[in-house]
Amino acid sequence: RTTTKHHLQNSSSSSNTSTTKVHHITMSHYTATITKQSKNQSIGIGLKETDAGLTISSINSEGLLSQTCLKPGMKLLAINNIEVSGLSSREAVQIMKDAEGKLALSAVDFVPANITFQVAVSRVRNDNGQINERVLATMKRDINNATPTIFMEAGVPSNTFSKIYTLIESELLPPAMALRSHETTYDKEMQSYTGKQMVKGGIIGFGTESNHEKKVLQMVKQGAQLQRNVDLKAAQVKDQINAMLARYNIMATVALESRRLVKYSSKQKQANTALDVVGIQFHPIPM
């Protein structure tokens, strides 16, 4: 346990950090203590309401909390030993405004209730002016920094979390990457296809299809199958995770991100939106 004192303009602040082990998952708690000279003195903190409770959205670099252990993204637990669970951001701010003299804020590191990945296309122009495309797939957070706060609070064992993380990384990410890679190749083929004469002489009918047309048709069919693979695997992984988390009153659902699609016609009123599977998110089950 460490305690550090900081002196600011006509005020003082201190911070201490303690560590609590819950089923071998480490959860760090932080407490910052400052001194307000008057009720009207601003402490420079912003709060945001989330499904997990109140989180710190900002800390003014010139405010009383700027040199303490509190950081944006942390979950606020208590103000002067008053638990803020269930309070609105306005109510919490009012408590801080009404305080005069010593003000202690307790918080915990907050990790969003999801384990997600990112699949993106990297485009690099080489020395010959050609653009090389490569599909990259990465987990958004390293396994050492990805334990959702909801897991810590529910006492989910570290080995259970590791199994869930590995399941998403090894079973769900690969088919999502395969789908994006296929879509990228299909886009290139279509650009080549539409830039050339589809059938010489303009005759289109059974038996007159070009090899390019056959290739595009096969890619459309396989694209649909690859999308189905992702959907089926997402459902399978979600069910496996829910079986592991049932005793902790946590429910897993598929995490989705929206992606705007290119308009296919000038007559189209608005662009469509695609929903991509990007991992698993978690929700507490009301008792």
Side-chain angles (χ1 to χ4, degrees):
R1 188 177 194 131
T2 60
T3 302
T4 305
K5 291 186 178 180
H6 305 270
H7 297 283
L8 302 174
Q9 304 168 342
N10 298 323
S11 64
S12 64
S13 65
S14 65
S15 305
N16 63 69
T17 304
S18 62
T19 298
T20 303
K21 287 187 176 179
V22 181
H23 288 262
H24 307 295
I25 292 182
T26 301
M27 194 170 182
S28 296
H29 294 258
Y30 303 86
T31 298
T33 302
I34 58 175
T35 301
K36 290 179 62 181
Q37 300 303 314
S38 67
K39 285 187 176 182
N40 295 328
Q41 185 177 16
S42 173
I43 66 172
I45 187 173
L47 299 177
K48 180 172 66 174
E49 296 176 24
T50 69
D51 291 340
L54 294 178
T55 58
I56 300 174
S57 58
S58 63
I59 291 182
N60 192 315
S61 59
E62 298 180 356
L64 299 182
L65 292 169
S66 62
Q67 300 300 313
T68 67
C69 57
L70 300 188
K71 305 294 179 186
M74 290 182 175
K75 177 182 176 181
L76 187 64
L77 299 178
I79 304 171
N80 281 347
N81 293 322
I82 301 173
E83 292 188 4
V84 299
S85 177
L87 297 183
S88 66
S89 58
R90 179 176 296 181
E91 290 170 329
V93 168
Q94 191 60 52
I95 293 174
M96 289 185 281
K97 283 184 176 180
D98 292 341
E100 189 172 2
K102 181 181 176 181
L103 180 63
L105 304 179
S106 299
V108 65
D109 280 327
F110 177 74
V111 179
N114 60 53
I115 300 176
T116 55
F117 50 79
Q118 180 173 283
V119 181
V121 180
S122 171
R123 295 180 174 86
V124 179
R125 190 179 297 275
N126 60 26
D127 296 336
N128 298 324
Q130 296 179 325
I131 297 178
N132 295 326
E133 294 185 341
R134 188 170 56 148
V135 177
L136 303 175
T138 56
M139 298 296 287
K140 288 190 176 180
R141 288 191 298 275
D142 180 81
I143 190 170
N144 297 317
N145 304 303
T147 307
T149 300
I150 189 176
F151 278 28
M152 301 179 190
E153 294 174 338
V156 177
S158 58
N159 64 331
T160 300
F161 160 73
S162 296
K163 288 178 183 178
I164 291 173
Y165 186 97
T166 302
L167 188 63
I168 294 170
E169 184 178 33
S170 63
E171 297 292 327
L172 190 50
L173 188 151
M177 182 178 179
L179 175 60
R180 181 57 60 87
S181 180
H182 179 84
E183 290 173 340
T184 301
T185 304
Y186 176 74
D187 287 342
K188 286 200 258 184
E189 288 291 343
M190 280 302 296
Q191 289 175 10
S192 175
Y193 175 57
T194 55
K196 297 178 181 180
Q197 183 73 26
M198 288 191 294
V199 179
K200 291 183 180 180
I203 302 174
I204 300 176
F206 180 75
T208 63
E209 301 90 347
S210 67
N211 288 332
H212 214 147
E213 286 177 289
K214 294 176 182 178
K215 183 190 297 184
V216 169
L217 177 60
Q218 284 299 319
M219 292 189 74
V220 170
K221 292 171 64 178
Q222 290 188 27
Q225 182 60 59
L226 288 171
Q227 180 62 66
R228 185 166 178 265
N229 290 352
V230 174
D231 296 340
L232 290 173
K233 183 57 71 173
Q236 185 183 58
V237 168
K238 180 199 67 174
D239 290 345
Q240 288 178 265
I241 292 174
N242 274 324
M244 286 188 269
L245 294 177
R247 61 180 294 186
Y248 302 103
N249 292 314
I250 297 176
M251 178 180 67
T253 59
V254 177
L256 302 170
E257 280 187 1
S258 61
R259 175 165 51 93
R260 186 180 176 86
L261 300 176
V262 177
K263 283 188 176 183
Y264 55 80
S265 170
S266 59
K267 296 179 181 179
Q268 189 180 356
K269 291 184 178 180
Q270 61 183 19
N272 292 321
T273 299
L275 291 177
D276 295 327
V277 174
V278 296
I280 299 293
Q281 60 187 30
F282 307 95
H283 314 270
I285 299 175
M287 299 293 288

